[in-house]
Amino acid sequence: MQSKDQITAGNAARKDRMEGKAAISNTTTSCVFQLLQEAGIKTAFVRKQSDTAFIAAHCEMIPIEWVCRRIATGSFLKRNPGVKEGYKFYPPKIEMFYKDDANNDPQWSEEQLIEAKFSFAGLTIGKTEVDIMAHSTQAIFEILEKSWQPQNCTLVDLKIEFGVNILTKEIVLADVIDNDSWRLWPSGDRSQQKDKQSYRDLKEVTPEALQMVKRNFEWVAERVELLLKTKSQGRVVVLMGSTSDLGHCEKIKKACATFGIPCELRVTSAHKGPDETLRIKAEYEGDGIPTVFVAVAGRSNGLGPVMSGNTAYPVVNCPPLSSDWGAQDVWSSLRLPSGLGCPTTLSPEGAAQFAAQIFGLNNHLVWAKLRSNMLNTWISLKQADKKLRECTL
């Protein structure tokens, strides 16, 4: 995919050359796709090839622009008289537009898209595929919205396109996502807009005006690289009562790795060595890194309650229950003295997800993985239902 030093507006009714735009747009797109792909979103992006191009999987494109809006502005106000600029959509509003320059990309309904009976790379676009694209559009918007928040930038809206990968026959995010694809308002202030709207709004295109637009694009390209990083720290510390529980704890550590969360394993017994348990606790409280403790103890779980009663950090119980006494042992994790607040999950993966949800409040990269997991689970269920119905029919 080769970018050009060209900027357009109004379906190319306005067109200008902007020196350096190709490199700026390619940097923006590559960073955005990398962020989404690392989160778990399926995209056509493979890798950045040069300053002005990236490698993408071969797709047959679906001729629909999907738009997701958090704030009402632009064309939405023209199509919906009476709605004031700044109206916020909860959840974000999804719209679709058929790519047809001759008719100014008319807005379509889901029913129109389904009835069009498009087929790309052997995949017919039906109700299931439309639902997948709609849910994916919202998830992609929310991930990027969350990613811009640490930089005090409001993602107002976003337009994206999907294609069908000709090899896997899957619907994937394709085309590009650059500064032409969204509205971005620093501090939520429209007057500070840094996106292509600053070009659309020009009454006259002069060399000085184009330089202003280029500076806006450069501003975005510089900061979009920060979307791949986070200043937030965090770790999970798994405390096990004995090494006989190591297999259970390794599953927690492996699940933490999928969210990019460091995880340490320690051995200590709150029954047999409470002083050492509290010393280990203090070790992690003293270095300022946000920590979630996971207590893994079978039989009588003293680790979780003792930790919960002696730290302000989150503690979750994840007891490795046995088949013989598990039904009885679990009560030591569930029935706690007053003043203690450590929840219990029996799944090692669930314990890791609990920690990720805590860290995701302040870490957009962890949150992005959680949101992507939600989407991919929803898609797998939708596809399984379609396959089962086809087999039944």
Side-chain angles (χ1 to χ4, degrees):
M1 293 283 287
Q2 177 68 51
S3 296
K4 300 178 180 179
D5 285 341
Q6 181 175 288
I7 186 168
T8 65
N11 286 329
R14 170 180 285 182
K15 183 188 298 184
D16 290 284
R17 176 177 172 79
M18 182 188 293
E19 190 73 32
K21 181 179 182 291
I24 295 168
S25 295
N26 191 54
T27 294
T28 303
T29 288
S30 296
C31 287
V32 170
F33 273 110
Q34 184 181 339
L35 168 72
L36 294 170
Q37 204 160 51
E38 289 177 357
I41 299 293
K42 292 180 180 178
T43 80
F45 181 80
V46 177
R47 67 180 181 276
K48 187 176 181 180
Q49 174 70 6
S50 67
D51 286 345
T52 60
F54 69 90
I55 301 295
H58 187 186
C59 295
E60 289 191 11
M61 296 300 295
I62 302 168
I64 295 290
E65 277 189 353
W66 290 83
V67 176
C68 189
R69 305 180 186 276
R70 177 66 77 189
I71 299 174
T73 190
S75 66
F76 183 87
L77 302 179
K78 297 177 183 177
R79 288 181 286 106
N80 296 272
V83 179
K84 294 182 179 179
E85 184 172 54
Y87 182 94
K88 291 191 175 182
F89 302 107
Y90 301 108
K93 190 169 191 64
I94 306 295
E95 297 177 308
M96 67 181 80
F97 299 86
Y98 178 57
K99 290 174 67 66
D100 180 2
D101 287 349
N103 291 297
N104 296 314
D105 297 346
Q107 185 174 5
W108 269 22
S109 65
E110 290 188 4
E111 292 77 16
Q112 284 176 290
L113 179 51
I114 293 168
E115 285 299 307
K117 294 181 171 58
F118 288 133
S119 181
F120 302 99
L123 179 68
T124 300
I125 306 302
K127 172 65 174 171
T128 295
E129 290 68 33
V130 171
D131 286 348
I132 287 173
M133 287 186 282
H135 277 71
S136 298
T137 297
Q138 180 173 337
I140 291 164
F141 174 86
E142 289 175 349
I143 288 171
L144 293 177
E145 177 185 45
K146 188 81 169 180
S147 299
W148 276 110
Q149 285 173 357
Q151 300 184 57
N152 194 27
C153 286
T154 298
L155 184 63
V156 175
D157 51 36
L158 173 73
K159 65 176 181 179
I160 58 177
E161 296 180 34
F162 294 93
V164 180
N165 186 308
I166 64 169
L167 295 179
T168 66
K169 312 302 181 186
E170 289 181 305
I171 292 176
V172 297
L173 176 66
D175 196 52
V176 300
I177 299 181
D178 58 18
N179 211 32
D180 297 10
S181 307
W182 54 32
R183 285 185 176 89
L184 194 64
W185 296 352
S187 304
D189 184 354
R190 187 185 189 281
S191 67
Q192 298 184 47
Q193 61 189 5
K194 297 295 183 181
D195 50 83
K196 194 170 80 169
Q197 192 63 38
S198 60
Y199 173 71
R200 297 188 190 101
D201 290 345
L202 292 177
K203 293 180 179 179
E204 181 184 0
V205 179
T206 64
E208 293 77 18
L210 274 180
Q211 277 301 112
M212 178 273 293
V213 174
K214 182 179 179 181
R215 285 194 298 271
N216 286 341
F217 275 58
E218 289 172 334
W219 186 95
V220 172
E222 290 169 2
R223 282 158 182 78
V224 80
E225 295 183 6
L226 300 177
L227 302 187
L228 300 171
K229 305 171 185 178
T230 178
K231 295 180 180 179
S232 177
Q233 291 180 299
R235 68 181 165 213
V236 170
V237 176
V238 180
L239 305 175
M240 68 190 87
S242 73
T243 52
S244 62
D245 300 326
L246 183 59
H248 191 79
C249 297
E250 289 285 1
K251 292 178 182 178
I252 298 173
K253 185 174 184 177
K254 182 178 179 182
C256 285
T258 65
F259 295 108
I261 301 173
C263 179
E264 297 182 30
L265 306 182
R266 302 294 295 265
V267 181
T268 184
S269 170
H271 286 120
K272 302 171 185 177
D275 56 332
E276 179 63 8
T277 298
L278 295 179
R279 187 201 66 78
I280 291 174
K281 171 195 71 75
E283 180 181 326
Y284 292 101
E285 289 175 323
D287 62 8
I289 298 176
T291 302
V292 172
F293 293 104
V294 180
V296 177
R299 296 188 182 181
S300 177
N301 175 20
L303 263 178
V306 167
M307 287 292 295
S308 181
N310 288 275
T311 184
Y313 284 13
V315 179
V316 58
N317 296 312
C318 188
L321 301 183
S322 62
S323 58
D324 47 3
W325 287 96
Q328 289 75 32
D329 293 343
V330 73
W331 288 105
S332 63
S333 296
L334 298 175
R335 289 279 292 169
L336 306 178
S338 62
L340 303 187
C342 48
T344 297
T345 176
L346 304 183
S347 162
E349 294 76 17
Q353 183 169 331
F354 173 82
Q357 289 170 330
I358 292 174
F359 293 131
L361 295 172
N362 295 301
N363 185 324
H364 69 273
L365 298 180
V366 173
W367 192 93
K369 290 180 170 65
L370 287 164
R371 185 64 181 88
S372 179
N373 283 354
M374 286 171 54
L375 172 67
N376 291 332
T377 298
W378 187 93
I379 290 175
S380 67
L381 291 170
K382 190 77 175 178
Q383 291 174 330
D385 180 63
K386 177 188 176 184
K387 186 175 182 180
L388 180 61
R389 292 185 68 213
E390 289 174 342
C391 291
T392 303
L393 294 173

